[in-house]
Amino acid sequence: MKLRKRMKWIAMLMSAALLFLLMRLAEIQLFFTESFSKWNVNLIQESVKQRTEEVQISDGRGSFLDRSGKPLTVSRKPAIVLFPFLKSQSWPIDEAAAILNISEEELDEKLDNAKKPVILTKNGEGSISKTALEKINKLKYPGIYGVYIEETEKNRLASHTIGMTNQDPELLRKKYPHKDGLSISTKIGTFGLERTFDEFLLPEQDTKLLYHVDGLGNPLFGIDVKYTADANPFYPLQIKTTIDKTMQQELEDILDDHRVKKGGAVLLDIENSSVLAISSKPDVNMASQKTRQNYMLTPMYPGSVFKTVIAAAAIENGLDHPSKTFNCNLNLYGEPGDDKGKLNMEEGFAESCNYTFTSLADELIKKNGSVIEDTAKKLGLTGRVGWEGRLYRERDFKQFYHEGSGSVWGDERDKKVKKAVAQTAIGQKNVKLTPLEIANMMATIARGGEKKQVQIASGIEYKNGTLMASFKDHELPGDTIDHYTAQKLQKLLRNVVTSEKGTGRRFRDLPYDVSGKSGTAQTGRLTKDKKTLYHKWFAGYFPADKPKYALAVVHMDTPEDQAATNAAFYDIVKKVYEIEKNQT
């Protein structure tokens, strides 16, 4: 009796299991063949892929251009594609070898070991030429083709700002639930401009050479190779950035040459506050999430660069009289500790006397408790400065990905604490600004006080080069410094370089006249051998008399004696001069 019961239960369980398997099989083969699982996988397409050999010529994703139309993220290379089935038949190998300047033995060897199509981008003379590509195609033999293959740049320029793509099925379905045609293997932007402009860059169709094979890898439908491509003349789209490719490459090389391991630089076109070059260190490593942080968009201690704000407030409140001097033998707290003598505000700014600006900040706060943050706002330092606005259905489109906002005070009560005011005056305590904001502040001063949002993209173009959308200049909202204040600041910034004791005197022999301000901010961290780590800055603009460029350079977390800030700033200015000279 017990045995019969057990057999009955076993039979029921086996029946249930078989029923489940049948239902699962029906689900896979009958009901959800084109939208299987939560990822909506097209099983028919995926099964065809398993029996297809292909060479992807382009993944169909949109790309980025520099300001003159040069590609930034992809490159087109002439290539010769050889399909494996050639080795099982007679084909004009002698003619192909002669065209490619490769021996027949070498071509045979490449095909003998091939399980997938062979792609040749080099021949006996170097890169495949356009002429060689045309001659190969004139052979008109199935299985060998000359094509232009589009490759994503692995070591792309401005990598933190432009960003990267990756396969992320979960994010793909979350962002685009109604785009059923997108394969789960479609790459999408994970950070940077690739992320912010992702919707415009999604592929409509990729371009490839393909043929179908049987289980042994032999051609299933003869040796006919198919070419699939999107004939749409408008897609994929291209994002035209404001970056100058030559300047970008040189700026990155200079930072590498000077071994700036953490920090970076921002170079702006002053006329419209557009980014010409931008680089953050360390370089992006896709295996590490930490390296994706763009320090040029990250608020950090600005040090004495913030004295520019205190100087602007002092000018607007009549505290900058040349006869008014400060005892610069005292440190920021008014205690003995320096030996610069008595200096007025202009001299104190050039030599970066802390006591001058802590005294002015104290006096300003007593007159008006919000004067420092109000002045910082006038200079565009207490909010995002990247381009924001309406773009089609998106009312608040932001060009920069995860741009931080500057801040001055962490606690309103600090305004009543003398030491906290002193630390704030020299860009410490809770003062944190982004290098992009600081570069834009210099551009604002150079323009006479006119505040503008910073652009990194000038427009979106169709594949054929016609304009789809453009990004107009946007002013930053809020009050601005007046023209008189801007002129006085211009004089102060120039004096930093021209003064015999100015902290920027190193830049006096550059081919451009430079105006700017240095900064040294303690980070509160130490090296292993107990050396204090600093953020070392220099920010300014040039040429001083007819400003065209604003530049901010910061070397983060460096011992003071190892900072490469000034050397990098010097070389970038010099290189910009050489590039401009060659372009004219």
Side-chain angles (χ1 to χ4, degrees), residues 101-160:
N101 195 24
I102 297 175
S103 67
E104 292 181 37
E105 290 76 17
E106 191 176 344
L107 278 179
D108 260 334
E109 187 181 339
K110 288 181 183 294
L111 283 169
D112 280 343
N113 299 324
K115 293 182 179 178
K116 292 187 176 182
V118 176
I119 302 171
L120 301 178
T121 55
K122 303 279 185 184
N123 62 14
E125 298 173 338
S127 298
I128 301 290
S129 67
K130 181 181 176 182
T131 305
L133 186 146
E134 290 170 352
K135 286 181 178 178
I136 288 291
N137 285 334
K138 280 181 182 177
L139 295 176
K140 294 184 178 179
Y141 194 87
I144 178 168
Y145 303 92
V147 296
Y148 283 95
I149 287 183
E150 214 171 75
E151 292 184 348
T152 300
E153 297 284 3
K154 291 179 182 176
N155 299 314
R156 59 173 60 179
L157 295 171
S159 55
H160 291 86

Side-chain angles (χ1 to χ4, degrees), residues 41-89:
V41 178
N42 189 318
L43 294 173
I44 296 173
Q45 285 182 358
E46 296 302 316
S47 66
V48 169
K49 280 183 185 178
Q50 289 181 355
R51 289 287 176 264
T52 302
E53 291 291 350
E54 63 180 46
V55 175
Q56 190 174 77
I57 295 171
S58 168
D59 65 2
R61 184 174 174 83
S63 58
F64 293 87
L65 308 173
D66 87 337
R67 63 175 180 164
S68 60
K70 297 174 188 172
L72 286 172
T73 52
V74 295
S75 59
R76 294 181 77 237
K77 295 180 180 178
I80 306 301
V81 180
L82 304 166
F83 282 83
F85 59 71
L86 286 171
K87 61 189 174 186
S88 62
Q89 58 188 275

Side-chain angles (χ1 to χ4, degrees), residues 243-279:
I243 289 171
D244 182 299
K245 190 172 184 177
T246 305
M247 291 184 183
Q248 179 69 40
Q249 183 66 70
E250 294 293 352
L251 183 142
E252 293 192 17
D253 288 346
I254 288 167
L255 293 175
D256 286 338
D257 290 345
H258 291 290
R259 298 179 183 177
V260 177
K261 293 181 179 178
K262 188 176 180 182
V266 182
L267 178 68
L268 300 182
D269 181 326
I270 284 174
E271 185 180 354
N272 52 16
S273 269
S274 59
V275 175
L276 292 171
I278 182 168
S279 180

Side-chain angles (χ1 to χ4, degrees), residues 268 270 273 302-310 312 349 375-382 385 433-452 454 476 481 486 489-490 493 516-517 537 539-541 550-552:
L268 300 182
I270 284 174
S273 269
S304 292
V305 175
F306 192 72
K307 290 173 184 174
T308 310
V309 175
I310 306 301
F349 190 83
T375 307
K377 189 174 182 180
K378 287 180 182 180
L379 290 165
L381 295 176
T382 55
V385 296
L433 308 174
T434 71
L436 186 70
E437 287 175 321
I438 288 174
N440 196 44
M441 174 183 73
M442 291 298 170
T444 298
I445 294 168
R447 282 193 300 263
E450 184 185 9
K451 289 192 303 185
K452 289 185 178 183
V454 180
L476 278 169
I481 57 171
L489 289 174
Q490 288 169 6
L493 292 165
K517 183 72 188 79
W537 293 81
Y541 61 86
L551 174 63

Side-chain angles (χ1 to χ4, degrees), residues 34-35 39-42 45-46 49 172-173 176-186 202-206:
E34 295 184 12
S35 58
W39 307 120
N40 293 321
V41 178
N42 189 318
Q45 285 182 358
E46 296 302 316
K49 280 183 185 178
L172 180 75
R173 292 305 175 209
Y176 309 112
H178 305 300
K179 288 185 179 285
D180 297 329
L182 287 176
S183 164
I184 58 166
S185 62
T186 301
L202 287 172
E204 297 289 321
Q205 182 183 335
D206 55 5

